[in-house]
């Protein structure tokens, strides 16, 4: 027997392998809430427009509510023979209310139905990620405020560069998360148009009120072109692109956590809650949560690449290829949500080794730039000349195996006779970070101000007063 939902044209059932490759219910069953919400809005609109009777619409809506309760309660039996979430819901609705269920699909296609459902689903996910990233920002800002004056080395090329504060370093990731939030907000704004009512590809001859269904579903407006409405997956690509950038940011921080918790570096400790042991080496404490965050970025980026490849050669309008838009995306968004939660937990859990950080901040002649700046400021020396003089002094200190602040004034004067005892005031790591008071600098006062600002902003955001930065 052919499929009762679309089998009028067919006299035989699909081959088993055809059923297997065609079925999507294992994936799109996750759209059940969105599918039922869109169907209810469609039925209510059809009744308002007198396309179906109010009685049939009432039966449909009541039946859909019961189906929602069944699925949410784990009592609904999904049938792979019915291919997808749309057919499963409609078939169950027919069992419940009889022929009236057949009126629900009036002026609608699975093409505009799935496009609507998936937009609603992605929108819900973006709202969840928005809240998760805000919580991550709060954890970072709180830790930054606590460690506004905790000194650590700043790096370029993974070489000791200049002293910074741990709080300043953490606030860099707050800024990254802010841009991630902005990208997700932009993606949400662009996706918030309704495909419903576009039918298969050409619109419909029924007098639909597409603005009504759009508003009922929280969309800003209906999509303006029916061909675009059923075939567009930019909204998934854009959300995945933002997710990939967010995953890269998390992965970069995870990499630092892996490095910093190594006994060789020893900047951070993580508790038992975010580390694991070894099956053979009893001394090990492995930062597996950070390592997995780093690895899962690959899955998220891979989902974006996969969908780009699916979409790159598709002519208008809907193609069955688009059935492959969901599984990778759903996996990617779930992975990102897990990564954000794990990183938030690690930020709250991490314990910086202040003494080790401070000692490392002074290694590698990290205050050499402060020496050069002093030569410019006090001796009115051109910076390029000051850079050369400082390099010579560093070479002397390195040859004597001494830090800059331990090098004798007489040795410095061999290079530049005008250097005075005052030079030693700028060579400490404390004075170095304290002097970086320009906007965006690492001075503890700056860090405290920025961390406090972010904490207030996140609190306002959670109370619904602002969205993004």
């Amino acid at each position: 027997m052919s499929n009762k939902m679309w089998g009028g044209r067919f006299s035989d059932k699909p081959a088993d392998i055809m059923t297997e490759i065609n079925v999507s219910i294992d994936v799109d069953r996750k759209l059940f809430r969105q599918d039922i919400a869109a169907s209810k809005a469609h039925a209510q609109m059809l009744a308002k427009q007198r396309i179906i009777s109010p009685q049939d619409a009432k039966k449909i809506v009541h039946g859909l509510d019961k189906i929602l309760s069944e699925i949410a309660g784990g009592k609904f039996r999904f049938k792979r023979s019915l291919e997808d979430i749309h057919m499963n819901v409609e078939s169950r609705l027919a069992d419940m209310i009889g022929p009236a269920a057949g009126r629900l699909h009036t002026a609608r296609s699975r093409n505009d139905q799935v496009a609507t459902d998936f937009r609603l689903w992605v929108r819900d996910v973006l709202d969840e990620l928005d809240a998760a990233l805000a919580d991550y920002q709060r954890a970072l800002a709180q830790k930054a405020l606590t460690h506004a004056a905790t000194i650590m080395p700043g790096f370029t090329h993974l070489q000791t560069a200049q002293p910074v504060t741990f709080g300043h370093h953490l606030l860099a990731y707050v800024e990254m998360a802010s841009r991630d939030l902005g990208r997700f907000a932009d993606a949400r704004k662009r996706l918030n148009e309704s495909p419903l009512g576009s039918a298969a590809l050409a619109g419909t001859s029924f007098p639909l009120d597409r603005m009504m269904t759009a508003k009922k579903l929280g969309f800003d407006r209906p999509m303006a072109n029916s061909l675009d409405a059923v075939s567009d997956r930019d909204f998934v690509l854009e959300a995945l692109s933002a997710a990939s950038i967010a995953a890269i940011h998390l992965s970069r921080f995870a990499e630092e956590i892996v490095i910093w918790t190594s006994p060789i570096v020893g900047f951070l400790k993580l508790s038992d809650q975010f580390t694991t042991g070894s099956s053979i080496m009893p001394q090990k404490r492995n930062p597996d949560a950070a390592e997995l965050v780093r690895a899962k970025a690959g899955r998220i980026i891979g989902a974006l690449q996969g969908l780009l490849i699916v979409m790159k050669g598709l002519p208008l309008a809907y193609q069955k290829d688009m059935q492959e838009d969901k599984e990778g995306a759903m996996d990617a968004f779930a992975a990102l949500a897990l990564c954000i939660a794990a990183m938030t937990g690690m930020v709250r859990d991490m314990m910086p080794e202040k003494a080790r950080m401070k000692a490392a901040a002074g290694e590698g002649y990290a205050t050499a730039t402060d020496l050069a700046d002093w030569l410019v400021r006090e001796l009115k020396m051109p910076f390029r000349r000051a850079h050369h003089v400082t390099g010579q002094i560093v070479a002397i200190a390195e040859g004597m195996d001494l830090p800059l602040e331990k090098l004798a004034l007489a040795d410095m004067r061999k290079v530049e006779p005008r250097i005075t005892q005052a030079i030693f005031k700028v060579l400490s790591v404390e004075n170095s970070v304290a002097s970086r008071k320009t906007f965006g600098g690492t001075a503890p006062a700056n860090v405290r101000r920025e961390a406090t600002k972010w904490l207030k902003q996140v609190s306002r955001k959670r109370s619904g007063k602002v969205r993004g930065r």
Side-chain angles (χ1 to χ4, degrees):
M1 179 182 291
S2 63
N3 190 304
K4 67 180 182 179
M5 291 293 185
W6 48 260
R9 170 69 176 79
F10 295 78
S11 59
D12 199 2
K13 69 178 183 178
D16 290 344
I17 192 63
M18 177 61 196
T19 299
E20 190 62 29
I21 196 172
N22 195 48
V23 70
S24 63
I25 188 61
D26 297 335
V27 174
D28 62 32
R29 65 197 296 172
K30 295 178 182 178
L31 303 177
F32 74 92
R33 293 185 188 278
Q34 293 78 18
D35 190 71
I36 289 172
S39 290
K40 287 170 63 177
H42 186 66
Q44 290 164 342
M45 181 274 297
L46 291 176
K48 173 186 172 282
Q49 296 299 101
R50 300 182 180 179
I51 298 169
I52 67 174
S53 70
Q55 293 80 12
D56 283 346
K58 187 174 181 179
K59 289 180 182 178
I60 289 168
V61 170
H62 181 67
L64 290 170
D65 283 336
K66 289 182 67 176
I67 293 170
L68 178 62
S69 179
E70 287 181 353
I71 298 176
K75 298 176 181 178
F76 188 92
R77 189 167 71 89
F78 290 99
K79 299 176 181 178
R80 299 185 91 245
S81 61
L82 294 174
E83 295 183 16
D84 57 31
I85 185 62
H86 322 300
M87 287 186 169
N88 269 268
V89 170
E90 189 173 334
S91 176
R92 177 62 178 141
L93 186 64
D95 292 342
M96 284 182 169
I97 68 172
R103 301 190 183 281
L104 174 59
H105 210 55
T106 305
R108 186 176 73 169
S109 164
R110 282 191 294 173
N111 294 356
D112 64 337
Q113 192 176 358
V114 69
T116 302
D117 292 356
F118 201 23
R119 277 178 185 264
L120 290 170
W121 188 89
V122 171
R123 191 178 70 185
D124 289 343
V125 164
L126 293 181
D127 289 344
E128 292 167 3
L129 291 173
D130 184 273
L133 278 169
D135 195 36
Y136 173 58
Q137 283 186 304
R138 179 186 293 104
L140 286 165
Q142 287 171 337
K143 189 72 73 170
L145 188 59
T146 301
H147 293 284
T150 298
I151 296 172
M152 66 174 290
F155 299 96
T156 61
H157 309 277
L158 209 57
Q159 304 296 309
T160 302
Q162 292 177 280
V164 296
T165 66
F166 185 46
H168 189 60
H169 196 105
L170 294 176
L171 287 178
Y173 287 104
V174 176
E175 295 287 340
M176 293 182 209
S178 177
R179 296 193 293 273
D180 295 329
L181 284 164
R183 277 182 281 268
F184 283 130
D186 288 345
R188 190 191 192 282
K189 182 177 180 180
R190 266 185 289 279
L191 74 74
N192 207 36
E193 296 181 343
S194 174
L196 194 58
S198 298
L201 75 161
T204 175
S205 60
F206 290 94
L208 305 185
D209 184 349
R210 293 189 62 207
M211 184 60 75
M212 174 183 171
T213 51
K215 292 301 182 184
K216 275 187 171 291
L217 295 170
F219 290 115
D220 295 328
R221 63 190 68 85
M223 294 185 74
N225 185 285
S226 59
L227 288 165
D228 181 49
V230 299
S231 62
D232 168 56
R233 293 299 182 270
D234 289 2
F235 67 96
V236 194
L237 290 170
E238 189 171 2
L240 283 173
S241 178
S244 296
I245 296 172
I248 288 170
H249 291 157
L250 296 173
S251 182
R252 292 181 70 181
F253 193 14
E255 168 75 359
E256 292 191 318
I257 291 172
V258 171
I259 293 170
W260 292 348
T261 55
S262 166
I264 296 173
V265 177
F267 285 179
L268 284 184
K269 283 186 178 179
L270 291 172
S271 75
D272 295 352
Q273 294 185 61
F274 288 95
T275 55
T276 65
S278 165
S279 63
I280 189 172
M281 296 171 284
Q283 84 281 8
K284 292 293 295 295
R285 181 187 290 276
N286 300 323
D288 283 0
E291 291 173 16
L292 288 167
V293 168
R294 189 175 57 185
K296 286 181 185 294
R299 295 174 65 171
I300 297 164
I301 297 166
L304 170 61
Q305 296 298 320
L307 186 55
L308 284 168
I309 292 167
V310 167
M311 297 300 298
K312 72 174 180 61
L314 297 187
L316 295 178
Y318 179 82
Q319 313 291 331
K320 193 68 169 181
D321 309 52
M322 294 180 193
Q323 185 167 292
E324 291 297 309
D325 62 352
K326 297 173 197 66
E327 187 171 10
M330 289 176 170
D331 176 77
F333 292 127
L336 180 59
L338 182 58
C339 288
I340 295 170
M343 291 301 292
T344 303
M346 280 187 281
V347 169
R348 292 193 170 116
D349 183 73
M350 62 176 55
M351 298 164 284
E353 294 286 352
K354 295 181 182 181
R356 175 65 191 125
M357 280 184 167
K358 184 177 178 180
E363 295 172 357
Y365 305 99
T367 58
T369 304
D370 298 273
L371 193 158
D373 288 346
W374 186 91
L375 295 173
V376 171
R377 187 170 53 250
E378 301 298 328
L379 304 185
K380 310 305 179 186
M381 189 180 290
F383 182 78
R384 284 300 168 208
R385 173 62 184 160
H387 187 287
H388 185 75
V389 168
T390 301
Q392 291 179 299
I393 293 173
V394 168
I396 292 172
E398 190 173 35
M400 300 175 70
D401 196 24
L402 290 173
L404 278 177
E405 65 270 24
K406 298 296 184 181
L407 188 64
L409 180 60
D411 291 316
M412 294 188 192
R413 284 177 167 169
K414 290 176 183 177
V415 180
E416 173 50 64
R418 292 180 294 165
I419 295 176
T420 69
Q421 190 72 28
I423 190 67
F424 293 101
K425 293 181 180 179
V426 304
L427 297 182
S428 72
V429 291
E430 293 91 348
N431 287 340
S432 177
V433 297
S435 70
R436 281 2 190 224
K437 296 177 181 178
T438 51
F439 182 76
T442 190
N446 285 9
V447 175
R448 292 187 186 96
R449 183 174 60 250
E450 284 295 301
T452 300
K453 181 198 74 175
W454 277 113
L455 288 170
K456 289 179 179 177
Q457 185 165 304
V458 173
S459 295
R460 290 198 305 271
K461 177 183 175 66
R462 290 303 294 270
S463 66
K465 294 180 181 177
V466 296
R467 185 180 187 86
R469 190 170 185 179

